Amino acid sequence: MRPSRFDVVIAGGGHNGLTAAAYLAQAGRSVLVLERQPLVGGAAVSARVFDGVDARLSRFSYLVSLLPASIIADLNLRVRLRHRRIASYTPAGDRGLLVDHGDQAATAASFAALTGSDADWKAWQKFYAATAALARRVFPTLTEPLRTRAEFRALAGDDAVWDALIEQPLSAVIEREFGHDTVRGVVLTDALIGTFARAGEDSLRQNRCFLYHVIGNGTGDWDVPVGGMGQVTEELARAAREAGAEIRTGAEVTGIDPDGEVTVREADGEYTVGAGHILANLAPAALARLTGDRTMASQATSNGSAPEGAQLKVNLVLRRLPRLRDPDVTPQAAFAGTFHVHEGYAGLEEAYRQAAAGRIPAAAPCETYCHSLTDPSILGPELAASGAHTLTVFGLHMPARLFRADPDGARAAALAATLAALDDVLAEPVADCLLTDAAGQPCVEVKSPADLEREIYLPGGHIWHQDLEWPFAEDDADAGRWGVETGHPRLLLCGAGTRRGGGVSGIGGHNAAMALLRG
Ligand SMILES: Cc1cc2nc3c(=O)[nH]c(=O)nc-3n(C[C@H](O)[C@H](O)[C@H](O)COP(=O)(O)OP(=O)(O)OC[C@H]3O[C@@H](n4cnc5c(N)ncnc54)[C@H](O)[C@@H]3O)c2cc1C
């Protein structure tokens, strides 16, 4: 007989639900995790995507910055994150801008060659020294009860940075501090990941996205999870199970009664489970649908608008890395970091305009990165020995609205525009480098926001469940809470849609668990 009541039932087995499960089970609570898919992990999974190709791709998310070292230590996770020496490469004509953490002189020379002076390099160092100082001060608070805005500002301790990142649209600081269009664009991209926004938007959602991209673990570094993103999820699932949590896959939550009852559908029928508390690893919009109470989810967050993702994810496996136009940089260096394509400042604005007008951007902005250069363990030995590599492409300004009327046609058009964008900056077509699968088909997988909504249940395909929020209480009355509350005492959010939850961080799960354990 299956137990019909648990201390905590968690709807959704994403990495955040598993994090909450592990903490709560370790604290002695009886925990049930219900995941509708055959596998746990949601957007944090690895998969062998191409038939006959022995490559475990991080299918959706791929880099880790926001997962606190404290969570890895608390849960004893065997997760290794490998630092990338090359931060980024941005082709510009027949040369490019290389930002190499390991060689300041080379980076300075690269800035000078691109911009014609050392002004932007100096501005870059000053700007990122300030964001790093901010990161060191504020990141530890993300796993603590919320501070008020004033307390958070005092902790940040730098009024100029506060003004630039929290008060003014990001465009102000970028246009004031940096002169060259390429440099401005590279800075801006962190504000546009999965976020359909302009640099100068009053909503400041671009600022919030930027903030989360520069504070991770007190450095803002985006590291490579060894073994792929699935390794992070597998370790969290192991920690939860070993602590006694039960994880059911193929178990869809079809109804939530906030007073403590969850309705579940499995292949052999529907049943209900009682719960002392219910944790929702679901997007707030999905939770509102399941409870039938729209005010509940919007009480949990300050953002009531419908979520809309804005990215195209393309997974490629290559026979070999493509040749670059730039004779001074090797493909191994350029693709090890974030490789920016058509992400100049003016170009990003133009791409936004085109997408807002309902068109796939003509010069599609995107960024690529090669996991297997930093961590070849995701390739089978024969594939690795053959010189093959993985390539992740993350396209910006591809909002869900472009894919609604004709999902297949729009996906094909977006893929074509993205591959053409890559070809614009390479010395040979990327198609010439693609590996083929067992059926002779090129190894190309593409996911639009509409695909993400259908396949992994992200509302509007939004990778953060909804637009990111400030990591402090906007209403002083919420200070001291965890940013997971729904307005109902027995129902909490525990995923990316919690106040500080976006990205692969476990923070949403941690904070929901702490709200239960510490009150
Ligand atoms: C293409 C892409 C690229 C990204 N890149 C990065 C990156 O490089 N780095 C980074 O930090 N972040 C990245 N992100 C964001 C990050 O992956 C997510 O914010 C994070 O994984 C969310 O985790 P979660 O556990 O809160 O939710 P999810 O991963 O969304 O998990 C929720 C789970 O709930 C399940 N579920 C939904 N409805 C039900 C139901 N009714 N019943 C039962 N189960 C249900 C889902 O199947 C899913 O498993 C990316 C996301 C995407 C999509």
Side-chain angles (χ1 to χ4, degrees):
M1 271 287 284
R2 281 175 157 183
S4 59
R5 188 176 171 79
F6 291 79
D7 293 334
V8 184
V9 172
I10 302 180
H15 85 284
N16 268 313
L18 297 171
T19 304
Y23 273 102
L24 290 165
Q26 283 188 359
R29 302 291 199 275
S30 62
V31 179
L32 173 66
V33 178
L34 298 163
E35 168 55 52
R36 71 192 290 178
Q37 297 191 68
L39 290 174
V40 291
V45 291
S46 296
R48 283 190 175 77
V49 173
F50 304 109
D51 194 18
V53 177
D54 193 6
R56 282 186 88 234
L57 304 182
S58 297
R59 193 169 210 165
F60 307 107
S61 54
Y62 45 103
L63 291 170
V64 174
S65 176
L66 292 157
L67 175 63
S70 57
I71 292 183
I72 295 179
D74 287 350
L75 300 180
N76 238 331
L77 305 179
R78 290 182 295 236
V79 167
R80 281 188 299 142
L81 303 175
R82 202 165 278 165
H83 185 62
R84 297 185 302 168
R85 170 180 162 163
I86 304 295
S88 68
Y89 175 72
T90 308
D94 287 341
R95 290 290 186 277
L97 178 66
L98 186 74
V99 179
D100 180 349
H101 286 310
D103 191 341
Q104 292 242 330
T107 305
S110 189
F111 268 83
L114 176 76
T115 65
S117 84
D118 63 358
D120 272 359
W121 169 233
K122 285 193 170 145
W124 178 282
Q125 289 175 294
K126 187 177 134 217
F127 182 70
Y128 285 110
T131 63
L134 178 76
R136 284 191 294 276
R137 291 196 203 103
V138 304
F139 188 71
T141 73
L142 269 58
T143 43
E144 295 172 355
L146 287 166
R147 283 166 168 71
T148 64
R149 188 182 182 100
E151 288 167 347
F152 199 86
R153 179 179 186 147
L155 183 72
D158 182 333
D159 284 349
V161 165
W162 180 269
D163 199 53
L165 301 188
I166 316 284
E167 302 285 353
Q168 304 289 325
L170 200 62
S171 55
V173 67
I174 293 178
E175 291 172 20
R176 188 174 65 240
E177 298 294 334
F178 302 101
H180 195 280
D181 185 80
T182 298
V183 179
R184 287 178 170 185
V186 172
V187 177
L188 177 60
T189 54
D190 276 340
L192 306 180
I193 301 298
T195 302
F196 189 50
R198 307 173 66 180
E201 199 164 297
D202 286 337
S203 72
L204 301 186
R205 71 179 113 186
Q206 73 281 24
N207 292 46
R208 295 194 290 275
C209 183
F210 185 82
L211 187 66
Y212 282 91
H213 276 85
V214 295
I215 60 173
N217 268 305
T219 63
D221 289 340
W222 286 84
D223 295 336
V224 178
V226 174
M229 199 57 94
Q231 180 68 19
V232 175
T233 285
E234 280 166 26
E235 276 298 293
L236 286 164
R238 181 186 62 78
R241 279 200 188 96
E242 283 181 6
E246 180 181 342
I247 301 174
R248 290 184 197 157
T249 54
E252 179 186 357
V253 173
T254 54
I256 290 179
D257 176 345
D259 287 334
E261 193 172 81
V262 177
T263 308
V264 190
R265 183 164 56 216
E266 293 196 35
D268 54 0
E270 205 163 72
Y271 59 93
T272 58
V273 194
H277 283 90
I278 302 168
L279 263 50
N281 187 192
L282 317 170
L287 176 62
R289 247 193 338 272
L290 281 180
T291 56
D293 179 355
R294 297 204 161 268
T295 54
M296 182 178 295
S298 57
Q299 276 168 5
T301 66
S302 63
N303 181 350
S305 60
E308 182 182 33
Q311 70 294 318
L312 192 78
K313 174 84 198 285
V314 186
N315 291 314
L316 307 173
V317 182
L318 306 173
R319 285 186 291 117
R320 59 176 170 79
L321 293 173
R323 291 193 307 275
L324 303 178
R325 290 210 214 152
D326 186 341
D328 297 334
V329 178
T330 64
Q332 284 74 11
F335 288 108
T338 300
F339 185 112
H340 297 280
V341 179
H342 292 329
E343 292 189 329
Y345 194 69
L348 285 167
E349 173 68 15
E350 178 55 25
Y352 177 90
R353 275 207 213 106
Q354 292 174 3
R359 299 195 301 276
I360 304 276
C366 60
E367 42 199 73
T368 86
Y369 130 83
C370 173
H371 182 113
S372 51
L373 280 169
T374 304
D375 169 32
S377 76
I378 62 164
L379 302 179
E382 271 178 42
L383 196 60
S386 74
H389 278 294
T390 62
L391 204 65
T392 277
V393 186
F394 191 95
L396 307 188
H397 291 339
M398 295 282 188
R401 68 190 79 169
L402 302 179
F403 300 87
R404 295 269 183 238
D406 174 13
D408 294 340
R411 186 196 306 106
L415 175 64
T418 302
L419 296 181
L422 277 175
D423 289 350
D424 286 343
V425 302
L426 298 173
E428 60 180 335
V430 70
D432 289 358
C433 302
L434 289 171
L435 196 77
T436 48
D437 67 11
Q441 294 301 311
C443 294
V444 179
E445 180 186 64
V446 56
K447 302 284 182 198
S448 71
D451 296 328
L452 297 179
E453 184 167 60
R454 198 183 57 253
E455 293 174 19
I456 58 171
Y457 314 106
L458 298 174
H462 203 308
I463 71 168
W464 318 120
H465 286 189
Q466 62 178 15
D467 288 342
L468 294 164
E469 297 182 276
W470 297 121
F472 47 79
E474 285 174 86
D475 181 341
D476 283 1
D478 291 333
R481 298 182 172 189
W482 290 90
V484 300
E485 296 77 11
T486 62
H488 192 286
R490 293 171 69 180
L491 174 61
L492 303 176
L493 284 163
C494 74
T498 59
R499 179 162 282 278
R500 299 163 292 180
V504 179
S505 71
I507 291 175
H510 169 274
N511 289 353
M514 292 309 123
L516 286 196
L517 296 174
R518 295 194 202 154

